């Protein structure tokens, strides 16, 4: 085979890790091929981040319209057209997938449709075609965790893919799992008019958020019409007339809840089907693939990124890792740095966090200081009529270095970028407080929270 027929990198998986790695490598002058058995964009664009956030945008618009009279706008007889919402979701997904396909063409990246099998560190088979390559990046993503509960095969029991393809809005929905996926769907469907119940095995919802923020958020859910049961071990689903009945055990005994449909939202696990990892001797820790700080596996010339690592299973982390793996595969030396990984939950209100939680700071024994600023005291939030929540900052008690930032409130997913930048660059609360923030904006709440670490916020009492 001619040298020009050998790819510099073959990437297996076209999700947010794989396609970003492919484009970045192409920008660096590499000859790249990407292998994808379904649509480019992976779970994130086709069944995850993008469709759910498009649904969330419809729910947010509906909630705003219901409050229109507060703003002097007459808006009566507001109704939901669920099929039009679905059409919009599909259009948004199609538009973004088309955009990625165009980027593949513009950057001269070969797209191979099918399942990739690694025959050797320098040879990948796709269907009946074999592709020679200098390096391989595994970016095969994740799959839903399979529950072993009687009744999961009953009609009306949905996974997260199924619920995105519903043609009619369910009257009632019971959600198994109180992770960010479960509560996002809960707030979306509750806003659209569905009676929603969440059943969570752990003692609290969304365990990865700051404990105080999580508790405040959980108290809001009943006001949205959402019932929440925690510490509940689901044991069976049964058909009862036209409804589904979900049974679970707690320390107090057996309980049940009924709904027209049941949604499984219990997380995901790495997917490595068809790769032939064991034959190659690629090290794994159960399902996740093991890598070093440069995202190299134990087999020379083979890298792995994204959900398949089983760590920070977030689209933006996969993209970040894709860029690093591409650079290292082309001879550069760059290590991953997970100090500032933002996490966002697109509920009403939004949740966002980066860095350590107060509980983690307390358990680590490091001296720390907490400051908070409520959106009720932020001028822009008041003008928006959206004042629920706060900004919470955790800093080193000595230096004032920002260690963590946690936000519940309007546009938290956008505001958290300031916290991520602060942690990544080693900035202090004084650095944030001494930076002019535009007025009137929501970002002023971040500055005021930072001022709380110093002499005190201007627009809120000193705690």
């Amino acid at each position: 085979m001619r040298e020009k027929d050998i790819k510099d990198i073959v990437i297996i998986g076209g999700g947010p890790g794989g396609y970003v790695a492919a484009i970045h490598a192409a920008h660096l002058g590499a000859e790249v091929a990407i292998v994808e058995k379904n649509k480019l964009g992976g779970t994130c664009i086709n069944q995850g981040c993008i469709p759910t956030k498009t649904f969330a945008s419809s729910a947010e618009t509906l909630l705003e319209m219901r409050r229109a009279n507060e703003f002097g706008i007459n808006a009566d007889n507001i109704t939901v057209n669920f099929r039009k919402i679905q059409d919009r979701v599909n259009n948004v997904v199609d538009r973004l997938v088309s955009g990625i396909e165009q980027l593949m063409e513009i950057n001269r990246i070969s797209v191979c449709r099918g399942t990739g099998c690694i025959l050797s560190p320098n040879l990948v088979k796709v269907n009946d075609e074999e592709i020679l390559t200098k390096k391989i990046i595994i970016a095969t993503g994740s799959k839903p965790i399979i529950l072993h509960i009687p009744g999961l095969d009953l009609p009306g029991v949905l996974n997260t893919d199924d619920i995105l393809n519903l043609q009619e809005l369910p009257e009632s929905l019971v959600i198994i799992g109180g992770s960010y996926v479960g509560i996002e769907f809960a707030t979306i469907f509750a806003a659209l008019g569905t009676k929603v119940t969440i059943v969570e095995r752990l003692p609290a919802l969304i365990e990865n958020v700051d404990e105080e923020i999580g508790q405040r958020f959980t108290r809001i859910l009943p006001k949205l019409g959402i019932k929440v049961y925690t510490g509940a071990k689901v044991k069976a689903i049964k058909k009862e007339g036209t409804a589904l009945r979900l049974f679970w055990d707690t320390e107090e005994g057996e309980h049940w809840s009924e709904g027209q449909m049941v949604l499984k939202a219990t997380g995901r696990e790495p997917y490595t089907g068809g790769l032939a990892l064991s034959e190659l001797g690629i090290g794994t820790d159960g399902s996740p693939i093991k890598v070093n700080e440069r995202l190299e596996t134990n087999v020379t010339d083979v890298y792995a990124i994204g959900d398949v690592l089983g760590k920070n299973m977030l689209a933006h982390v996969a993209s970040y890792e894709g860029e690093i793996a591409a650079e290292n595969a082309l001879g550069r030396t760059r290590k991953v740095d997970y100090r500032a990984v933002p996490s966002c939950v697109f509920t009403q209100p939004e949740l966002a966090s980066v860095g350590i939680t107060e509980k983690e700071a307390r358990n680590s024994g490091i001296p720390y200081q907490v400051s908070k600023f409520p959106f009720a005291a932020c001028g822009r939030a008041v003008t928006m009529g959206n004042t629920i929540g706060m900004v919470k900052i955790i800093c080193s008690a000595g230096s004032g270095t920002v260690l963590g930032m946690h936000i519940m409130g309007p546009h938290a997913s956008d505001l958290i970028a300031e916290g991520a930048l602060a942690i990544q660059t080693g900035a202090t609360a004084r650095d944030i407080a001494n930076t002019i923030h535009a007025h009137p904006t929501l970002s002023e709440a971040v500055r005021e929270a930072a001022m709380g670490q110093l002499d005190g916020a201007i627009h809120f009492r000193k705690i």
Side-chain angles (χ1 to χ4, degrees), residues 339-340 354-356 401-405 418-427:
R339 287 176 299 161
V354 65
I356 66 173
T401 302
V402 179
L403 303 175
M405 184 180 292
E418 187 166 2
L421 182 61
I423 293 173
Q424 187 66 35
T425 59

Side-chain angles (χ1 to χ4, degrees), residues 145-419:
I145 292 174
I146 298 175
L147 300 177
H148 299 286
I149 300 171
L152 280 179
D153 57 347
L154 288 170
V157 179
L158 314 174
N159 60 31
T160 52
D161 291 353
D162 299 327
I163 200 165
L164 291 170
N165 293 310
L166 289 178
Q167 293 304 304
E168 300 292 338
L169 186 66
E171 293 182 4
S172 53
L173 178 68
V174 181
I175 299 175
I176 305 174
S179 66
Y180 75 93
V181 175
I183 64 170
E184 281 186 357
F185 277 115
T187 56
I188 289 168
F189 278 87
L192 296 176
T194 300
K195 295 179 181 178
V196 178
T197 301
I198 300 174
V199 180
E200 167 58 42
R201 175 179 57 85
L202 297 174
L205 303 181
I206 41 175
E207 286 276 292
N208 58 328
V209 305
D210 181 82
E211 188 174 31
E212 180 183 11
I213 295 286
Q215 289 172 352
R216 286 173 177 257
F217 177 78
T218 300
R219 289 196 293 268
I220 292 172
L221 292 178
K223 299 176 183 178
L224 303 178
I226 300 170
K227 294 181 179 179
V228 178
Y229 299 95
T230 56
K233 184 178 180 181
V234 176
K235 62 180 186 179
I237 305 171
K238 296 181 181 179
K239 187 77 171 176
E240 297 288 342
T242 59
L244 292 169
R245 187 170 291 181
L246 182 74
F247 294 86
W248 70 87
D249 285 331
T250 67
E251 293 180 354
E252 291 76 33
E254 183 182 86
H255 302 267
W256 57 267
S257 188
E258 200 168 81
Q260 181 186 352
M261 295 181 179
V262 172
L263 171 65
K264 300 173 292 182
T266 50
R268 302 178 68 86
E269 61 185 355
Y271 175 75
T272 57
L275 291 177
L277 297 183
S278 58
E279 289 84 346
L280 277 165
I282 292 177
T284 61
D285 185 10
S287 296
I289 295 176
K290 292 181 180 180
V291 293
N292 61 18
E293 291 179 318
R294 297 180 68 244
L295 299 171
E296 298 168 311
T297 69
N298 62 307
V299 174
T300 303
D301 296 335
V302 180
Y303 299 74
I305 62 173
D307 284 8
V308 78
L309 303 183
K311 296 177 181 178
N312 297 299
M313 298 174 76
L314 298 164
H316 46 278
V317 174
S319 296
Y320 165 77
E321 292 169 342
E323 294 176 15
I324 292 176
E327 291 179 20
N328 290 336
L330 295 173
R332 299 188 181 186
T333 301
R334 184 178 169 191
K335 296 180 180 180
V336 291
D337 181 356
Y338 297 120
R339 287 176 299 161
V341 177
S343 176
C344 304
V345 188
F346 293 83
T347 47
Q348 296 294 328
E350 287 187 355
L351 305 173
S353 63
V354 65
I356 66 173
T357 65
E358 184 175 1
K359 183 178 181 180
E360 289 170 338
R362 184 169 58 247
N363 291 343
S364 69
I366 61 174
Y368 70 94
Q369 183 171 315
V370 173
S371 58
K372 310 167 193 175
F373 188 81
F375 281 107
C378 173
R380 179 58 178 142
V382 174
T383 68
M384 296 166 63
N386 198 345
T387 58
I388 296 174
M390 66 177 181
V391 177
K392 178 177 181 178
I393 298 180
I394 301 165
C395 292
S396 169
S399 64
T401 302
V402 179
L403 303 175
M405 184 180 292
H406 309 277
I407 306 174
M408 178 176 76
H411 296 277
S413 59
D414 301 313
L415 296 174
I416 201 63
E418 187 166 2

Side-chain angles (χ1 to χ4, degrees), residues 436-457:
I436 298 173
H437 288 60
H439 173 77
T441 64
L442 297 172
S443 67
E444 289 178 287
V446 175
R447 179 174 182 266
E448 293 260 21
M451 292 178 72
Q453 294 276 340
L454 308 170
D455 302 318

